[in-house]
Structures are given as C-alpha cells and as structure tokens.
Amino acid sequence: RKKAEALQAQRRIIKKLNLPVEIVQEYEYYKVIVTGFHTREETYRYYPELTQIGYPNIYMIEKRK
C-alpha cells in the first residue's frame, strides 16, 4: 500500500530474481508489476521464489493491445 513498501519489494525482486519491475500508483495503492512475460506459463517458475521472499499473493495481468 505504501510507496516505501513498493520500492522495497522492487529492490528485492530485482536483486533475488533479476527481473524487470515497475511500480504503478493506482489511487492510494502502489502496485509492483514484474514485466517481460508473454504467457502465463513463463511465470510459473517464479511463483515459489516470490513466495519464499515474502510475496505469496501473485496475480497475472494480461496487457491488451
């Protein structure tokens, strides 16, 4: 919810998983978005690692053209 928490999550994900991460503000919330995936299947291998570093609630957001 807080920007400081989003920045901390961004740093952790980049450091541990070496993935590109964006932070997006939506109303009073900050969302941490891991980008660069084209299919849901590509994301599966990262779920256990994200849970292990403290982020068990993961959602796939499809970007539409």
Side-chain angles (χ1 to χ4, degrees), residues 46-63:
Y46 294 103
Y47 288 3
E49 294 176 76
L50 287 166
T51 300
Q52 187 178 29
I53 61 173
Y55 306 106
N57 298 322
I58 303 164
Y59 304 96
M60 176 76 172
I61 302 170
E62 184 178 345
K63 186 176 181 180

Side-chain angles (χ1 to χ4, degrees), residues 2-61:
K2 296 179 183 179
K3 187 174 184 176
E5 291 172 348
L7 289 168
Q8 180 182 29
Q10 180 185 41
R11 286 190 300 270
R12 278 184 174 174
I13 293 168
I14 290 171
K15 181 180 177 183
K16 299 278 184 176
L17 305 177
N18 196 29
L19 294 171
V21 180
E22 294 179 11
I23 296 175
V24 176
Q25 183 178 4
E26 193 170 283
Y27 303 104
E28 72 272 5
Y29 293 96
Y30 290 88
K31 294 183 178 186
V32 178
I33 301 174
V34 180
T35 62
F37 298 103
H38 299 287
T39 65
R40 177 180 292 274
E41 289 76 20
E42 292 176 26
T43 66
Y44 293 158
R45 67 176 253 186
Y46 294 103
Y47 288 3
E49 294 176 76
L50 287 166
T51 300
Q52 187 178 29
I53 61 173
Y55 306 106
N57 298 322
I58 303 164
Y59 304 96
M60 176 76 172
I61 302 170

